[in-house]
Amino acid sequence: MDITFNIGGEAGQGIDTIGDLLTQIFVQVGFYTITVKDFESRIRGGYNFTQIRVSDRPVVAPVEEVHIIVALSKDAIIGQRDRLVDGGVIIFDDSIVFNDVEACHFPAPLEKTAVDIGGDVRMANAAALGAVLSVIKFPFGLAEEALTNIFGRKGEKVVSGNIAVARTLYDMTAEKFTGSCSQDLAQVKKGPSTDRFIVTGNRALALGAIAANVKWVSSYPMSPSTSLFQDIVANAHRLKIGSLQTEDEIASILMAIGASYAGARSMVTTSGGGFSLMVEGMGLAAMAEVPIVIYNAQRPGPSTGLPTRTEQADLLFTAFSSQGEFPRIVLAPKDPEEGLEIAVRSFDLTEKYQVPVIILGDQYFADSAMNIAKPNITGTKIDRGKMIGPKNISGYERYRFTEDGVSPRAFPGSEGITVVSSGNAHLENGHITEDPNIRDTMVEKFFKKVPHILKDLKPPDIFGPKEPDVTLLTWGSTWGAVFEAVETMSSRNMSVNQLHFCDVYPLQTQTLHEVFEKSKKVISVEMNATSQFADLVRMKTGLTVHHQINKYDGRPMTAAWVIRKLKEVGVE
Amino acid sequence: MGDPETEGGRSRVITIEQLRGPQRVTWCRGCGNYGILAALKKAIIRLDVPLHNLVISSGIGCSGKLPHYIGGLNSFHTLHGRPIPVATGIHMANRDLKLIVHTGDGDCLGEGLGHFIHAARRNVDLAVFIHNNGVNGLTKGQFSPAAPRGYKSKTSPPPPGAPMDPVNPAAQAITAGASFVARGFSGDQKMLTDLMVRAIKHKGFAVVDILQPCVTWNRQLTWNFYNEHTYALEEHGHDTTDRLKALEKALENGDRYPTGVFYDVQKPVLADGLALPEDIPLKDHETDLDALQEVIDGLSL
């Protein structure tokens, strides 16, 4: 079983509600889902969709074919028509005037039934659900149980109303829908998945950051990062997290740096445009060795670009931005589950090495949801790095030279200790200097940290055979589409593997050398026009990929697209 | 607040020796900054705050170097125009800390003007001392955002000199929502020390616009000029709780500059509106992981 549903309509029509409902039902019944959101940068109107892929085995990327479309507007009826499979069905409310009705179309009285049976037009969502389930012959009993759970918190009336509306449409569709649907789930039982936690990349990062004891988050809203900040704010009062929407991203990062200097784990959230404004502050954090976690949810640029679309084109910008030279860490989660883990790790890394850590997400990662095993965060351990002990306060100097370049931290407010920091070149005691020898030692202090950081990073993963004909080189959220492409190609007896990086900078080179040695051909696959990761690999290792595959239309990658592109370079 | 053993204890007595600067001062001879530094030291000695709970945040320029000329204090010498947001973050992480911002007119009223306005709007509990000399001194005398219209410099040659009106920091602070706004003069130590003490003690966003000559670059705003063109507000019976009157006085700049307190009221501070723990500093708070797990459980199907 592998079905994709597409719920389309205008912004503000409730696409998400129907989509969430469908996802929740299939998750409750034990299936794997991945939900992607495709929307325009507008509050009302336009054409947006939520697309849900449901399978009885784990799915990690969207697909191109759509089996069932629920259209809430005329645009949505025709919007994905060319992606509908043979035997696919388009369900829409019969109040939409649409004259080119084909066999695949099913106009249904969704809103009318919601009002007549449920007494509330909002139950049109349940009506749509009933029609969808009926078309695919999904046993209503399975859905009913799930719906009871989902609406349970809202009271008996809501539960019974929604179920009655869904049931009415379910029966009516069975009777009136005369077309045929390629999907027949009449025999379906509960699925194998026990993963009941539906989470987006942004939410996973937010929860991970809170588990890591983030205490200060200052941000300015910017798509597609905003939902992370909103999740923090939503929990701020209950969990005591200082959070503030600032006048701009410059203030965001500087407040966070201040809070971190004073001892609070601090984070900022933004996208590329906001990160551009934060770069000056990031340099201050680097010079003053103040820990900071920066989340950059990438979107296509330059400038405003495509605010609600996806791209991986900030990698080199992120790795090299700011004047001067200093170490930093860039982590790019492949999916929400890894996001949760990265969020905790990023705070440990920034405090252990006192260098900026940038989490590089993108709109696809940020907004897409998967169901994963419910995380248990109660045992989260954190490592705040070197701190000055109470016995060593005499003569404390914030930038004391050490073997590994990391000086023990202390926070202002401690009696007997003076914490002096500066964005200027400074002495061990934090006061400014222009002494060339001190300058040398301070720069060397920065870079003494790098070997230790490299040892602490998570090595890249290899999926598939060790000595293949072709290696696909990936990083960040494009993992899923390429992973599925590798699976498909392997099932066709092709010799392909995937080398994937989550911890992208500083670059870990050893595995790269091994893979280039063992693989006949290495091909980079990236969501950008210039193969930035492949460039980074060449810069740091001298190794050059044999082909580069690039996608920069702002839409998420699929396995089918990867396979088509590989064909173009002779890999099939 | 703070360690009870030090409350009223020996460590509360701060001496001038403790405050001796760790570095040799690089300001020009006769610079107005000396008066500001001297007044700050006097104010700190007079304050009833343990030294380790004071933090100076400074920007870039001659004023920005002040943390290196005063000893025993925590400090963060930040970026051009940015000491206010850094100070805001420090204070939010630990409200036991008293934040003193030293910033110049070039620093605070140019690149930093947005932060200044928004910090005033938030009424965040900081004391902001603006070293206002009308020039960008450290970059060698270009006109600053506080330079008078027509001011001649290498980047504002005549005619017409500086082709714009100066920023009026006191008026900006009053309109933006600051709850304590004053003007001092580097040449009047007694008044400046009083204003600093009041500003640091004030709960809320406290601004002292400090007139100071730049003896190297500014031929217009000199010691003599200020001595002749300033007068004390309180001698003329000013009501510091009347916002419109305060604004009127702040806008009076021209032939005569009023000094003293323009405006002094109490109103909610930023920290009142944030989700900060009440009993301990934010920096020491540990998120209840069981409570977070409940949030996660609630999100799970």
Side-chain angles (χ1 to χ4, degrees):
Chain A
M1 170 192 175
D2 195 339
I3 308 182
T4 290
F5 303 92
N6 182 296
I7 323 296
E10 296 177 10
Q13 273 190 319
I15 301 158
D16 285 351
T17 316
I18 301 179
D20 290 350
L21 215 50
L22 261 174
T23 305
Q24 287 176 35
I25 284 181
F26 283 106
V27 168
Q28 288 259 4
V29 181
F31 292 94
Y32 298 95
T33 65
I34 180 162
T35 303
V36 296
K37 310 250 163 155
D38 185 297
F39 52 98
E40 299 169 2
S41 181
R42 56 194 293 170
I43 298 167
R44 298 268 165 201
Y47 169 53
N48 306 309
F49 64 77
T50 287
Q51 191 164 301
I52 306 142
R53 183 180 176 196
V54 179
S55 177
D56 51 9
R57 40 179 234 114
V59 280
V60 289
V63 291
E64 291 169 3
E65 317 77 54
V66 175
H67 300 91
I68 307 289
I69 292 169
V70 177
L72 304 183
S73 70
K74 196 172 169 184
D75 283 348
I77 299 176
I78 52 176
Q80 299 295 317
R81 176 67 183 88
D82 57 345
R83 290 175 53 207
L84 194 72
V85 298
D86 287 342
V89 178
I90 302 176
I91 298 161
F92 55 93
D93 193 84
D94 60 4
S95 67
I96 299 173
V97 180
F98 183 72
N99 296 322
D100 307 321
V101 177
E102 304 168 53
C104 66
H105 289 126
F106 180 52
L110 305 178
E111 291 190 5
K112 188 173 177 300
T113 310
V115 175
D116 291 352
I117 305 290
D120 187 340
V121 73
R122 282 177 296 179
M123 292 187 189
N125 297 326
L129 190 77
V132 168
L133 296 175
S134 182
V135 161
I136 58 173
K137 301 194 174 64
F138 188 84
F140 192 80
L142 285 177
E144 190 170 352
E145 199 182 318
L147 276 174
T148 307
N149 283 335
I150 293 163
F151 288 114
R153 288 172 212 176
K154 293 183 178 173
E156 173 54 28
K157 241 185 163 173
V158 178
V159 175
S160 59
N162 276 290
I163 289 177
V165 169
R167 176 93 231 180
T168 305
L169 251 298
Y170 189 88
D171 295 341
M172 185 189 296
T173 306
E175 194 184 316
K176 292 195 175 160
F177 176 59
T178 52
S180 66
C181 177
S182 62
Q183 299 294 321
D184 184 341
L185 302 187
Q187 301 308 317
V188 84
K189 301 273 187 310
K190 287 201 172 186
S193 168
T194 53
D195 299 343
R196 298 285 191 272
F197 191 65
I198 303 166
V199 63
T200 62
N202 274 359
R203 174 155 290 170
L205 287 179
L207 296 172
I210 297 171
N213 209 41
V214 68
K215 281 290 132 194
W216 178 263
V217 186
S218 37
S219 288
Y220 186 85
M222 185 167 189
S223 302
S225 69
T226 315
S227 66
L228 196 175
F229 181 50
Q230 289 182 170
D231 268 353
I232 299 276
V233 174
N235 290 295
H237 274 276
R238 183 167 178 197
L239 302 173
K240 299 296 174 201
I241 303 165
S243 58
L244 184 65
Q245 179 177 317
T246 57
E247 61 269 32
D248 54 34
E249 290 86 348
I250 299 172
S252 299
I253 193 166
L254 288 159
M255 284 187 195
I257 289 169
S260 179
Y261 159 86
R265 284 197 151 185
S266 301
M267 180 183 198
V268 291
T269 62
T270 188
S271 184
F275 181 70
S276 297
L277 294 186
M278 290 181 177
V279 167
E280 180 198 37
M282 185 175 71
L284 174 66
M287 184 54 122
E289 300 186 62
V290 176
I292 179 89
V293 173
I294 303 167
Y295 174 47
N296 175 3
Q298 299 164 99
R299 65 195 220 189
S303 190
T304 310
L306 290 167
T308 60
R309 308 293 173 184
T310 196
E311 195 161 89
Q312 292 183 307
D314 294 354
L315 173 63
L316 294 180
F317 172 49
T318 307
F320 299 110
S321 40
S322 172
Q323 69 271 34
E325 301 166 299
F326 55 86
R328 75 190 80 185
I329 298 169
V330 184
L331 310 172
K334 73 183 198 308
D335 57 19
E337 198 158 13
E338 191 166 68
L340 201 70
E341 177 261 325
I342 272 191
V344 179
R345 206 151 54 84
S346 60
F347 285 94
D348 286 355
L349 287 169
T350 194
E351 292 204 315
K352 277 165 78 177
Y353 301 104
Q354 302 172 21
V355 301
V357 172
I358 300 130
I359 301 174
L360 204 49
D362 53 54
Q363 185 269 333
Y364 168 66
F365 165 81
D367 291 332
S368 300
M370 298 170 83
N371 52 311
I372 64 172
K374 188 179 80 179
N376 184 337
I377 52 77
T378 53
T380 308
K381 296 269 179 296
I382 63 172
D383 182 349
R384 301 209 61 182
K386 281 192 214 171
M387 298 282 189
I388 196 73
K391 287 179 188 157
N392 301 319
I393 60 168
S394 165
Y396 175 73
E397 294 188 318
R398 173 63 188 86
Y399 302 101
R400 182 64 57 82
F401 295 133
T402 59
E403 278 297 305
D404 62 359
V406 180
S407 318
R409 285 193 299 158
F411 305 125
S414 324
E415 195 172 3
I417 285 184
T418 309
V419 186
V420 177
S421 285
S422 177
N424 291 46
H426 45 260
L427 301 159
E428 288 179 272
N429 65 13
H431 289 290
I432 61 179
T433 184
E434 296 187 15
D435 182 297
N437 295 323
I438 297 285
R439 164 68 182 174
D440 275 352
T441 316
M442 274 293 170
V443 171
E444 286 148 20
K445 173 187 195 297
F446 283 180
F447 289 99
K448 274 181 179 176
K449 299 174 184 178
V450 176
H452 300 278
I453 292 170
L454 278 166
K455 261 185 238 157
D456 212 343
L457 293 183
K458 196 175 79 175
D461 287 315
I462 298 175
F463 303 96
K466 294 288 174 227
E467 295 187 15
D469 291 343
V470 174
T471 292
L472 301 179
L473 176 63
T474 57
W475 64 280
S477 76
T478 40
W479 171 77
V482 175
F483 182 80
E484 291 192 350
V486 169
E487 278 190 323
T488 303
M489 290 187 292
S490 299
S491 72
R492 295 175 190 163
N493 291 322
M494 291 167 68
S495 169
V496 191
N497 74 1
Q498 179 180 14
L499 172 60
H500 181 82
F501 282 75
C502 165
D503 295 16
V504 290
Y505 192 82
L507 187 67
Q508 304 167 85
T509 55
Q510 194 187 330
T511 313
L512 280 162
H513 284 289
E514 290 163 12
V515 166
F516 271 79
E517 188 100 330
K518 287 178 184 156
S519 184
K520 289 188 187 130
K521 222 178 226 183
V522 179
I523 301 175
S524 62
V525 185
E526 301 186 47
M527 281 291 302
N528 57 46
T530 56
S531 306
Q532 296 189 12
F533 188 69
D535 275 357
L536 183 67
V537 168
R538 184 166 46 204
M539 176 183 170
K540 295 291 179 184
T541 64
L543 299 165
T544 304
V545 296
H546 300 82
H547 294 288
Q548 306 171 358
I549 290 180
N550 304 89
K551 187 165 165 54
Y552 39 86
D553 63 355
R555 271 60 175 184
M557 204 176 267
T558 63
W561 181 89
V562 174
I563 291 169
R564 279 201 304 279
K565 285 287 160 183
L566 284 168
K567 212 168 179 179
E568 285 175 20
V569 297
V571 176
E572 55 183 313
Chain B
M1 314 279 257
D3 186 344
E5 281 178 38
T6 64
E7 297 282 4
R10 197 165 49 86
S11 61
R12 268 296 171 85
V13 182
I14 298 165
T15 62
I16 195 78
E17 285 72 31
Q18 273 178 286
L19 302 179
R20 186 179 295 135
Q23 297 200 332
R24 245 180 94 179
V25 178
T26 57
W27 294 324
C28 308
R29 186 177 299 175
C31 174
N33 279 327
Y34 288 99
I36 298 174
L37 178 61
L40 176 70
K41 287 181 177 179
K42 288 177 205 158
I44 286 171
I45 288 168
R46 207 195 294 169
L47 279 171
D48 191 25
V49 177
L51 207 49
H52 62 267
N53 277 346
L54 291 171
V55 185
I56 296 179
S57 166
S58 71
I60 297 300
C62 294
S63 63
K65 293 184 179 178
L66 182 137
H68 311 297
Y69 307 146
I70 184 164
L73 261 74
N74 303 294
S75 62
F76 200 159
H77 181 172
T78 69
L79 295 167
H80 195 43
R82 319 285 180 221
I84 287 175
V86 173
T88 302
I90 296 171
H91 182 60
M92 291 303 122
N94 186 355
R95 279 176 293 158
D96 291 346
L97 302 176
K98 277 280 177 194
L99 267 296
I100 303 168
V101 175
H102 280 272
T103 174
D105 49 322
D107 195 64
C108 187
L109 308 178
E111 303 218 7
L113 187 60
H115 303 313
F116 179 73
I117 298 291
H118 289 282
R121 220 159 62 76
R122 295 179 184 118
N123 197 33
V124 55
D125 193 2
L126 311 176
V128 178
F129 301 150
I130 305 173
H131 300 218
N132 187 349
N133 60 10
V135 293
N136 283 8
L138 198 55
T139 51
K140 312 258 194 265
Q142 302 80 9
F143 74 105
S144 90
R149 179 180 279 276
Y151 182 82
K152 300 178 192 69
S153 76
K154 283 192 178 159
T155 54
S156 57
M164 61 193 85
D165 286 340
V167 176
N168 181 325
Q172 291 283 359
I174 293 164
T175 50
S179 50
F180 181 92
V181 182
R183 182 181 291 136
F185 170 41
S186 168
D188 184 344
Q189 282 287 296
K190 191 184 169 302
M191 180 193 274
L192 183 55
T193 307
D194 288 347
L195 292 176
M196 283 179 162
V197 169
R198 280 182 69 179
I200 296 169
K201 283 187 170 170
H202 177 81
K203 194 181 180 205
F205 193 68
V207 177
V208 184
D209 174 25
I210 307 171
L211 305 173
Q212 65 152 132
C214 174
V215 293
T216 301
W217 304 111
N218 203 324
R219 303 285 174 230
Q220 205 171 324
L221 305 170
T222 59
W223 288 111
N224 275 344
F225 175 87
Y226 283 129
N227 277 323
E228 285 163 18
H229 291 81
T230 54
Y231 73 95
L233 267 174
E234 61 184 21
E235 287 166 19
H236 295 72
H238 172 65
D239 176 2
T240 59
T241 62
D242 186 327
R243 201 172 179 198
L244 282 178
K245 289 250 165 62
L247 185 60
E248 199 178 298
K249 282 291 172 193
L251 289 170
E252 208 177 81
N253 300 355
D255 192 42
R256 291 183 21 101
Y257 290 75
T259 56
V261 179
F262 293 105
Y263 191 52
D264 182 5
V265 293
Q266 292 296 320
K267 56 188 237 183
V269 293
L270 176 64
D272 295 340
L274 301 188
L276 307 175
E278 280 158 27
D279 43 351
I280 52 167
L282 182 68
K283 76 172 179 79
D284 295 326
H285 187 264
E286 284 178 16
T287 298
D288 178 354
L289 290 179
D290 291 331
L292 175 60
Q293 188 64 44
E294 275 174 35
V295 172
I296 290 172
D297 293 349
L299 291 166
S300 191
L301 291 179

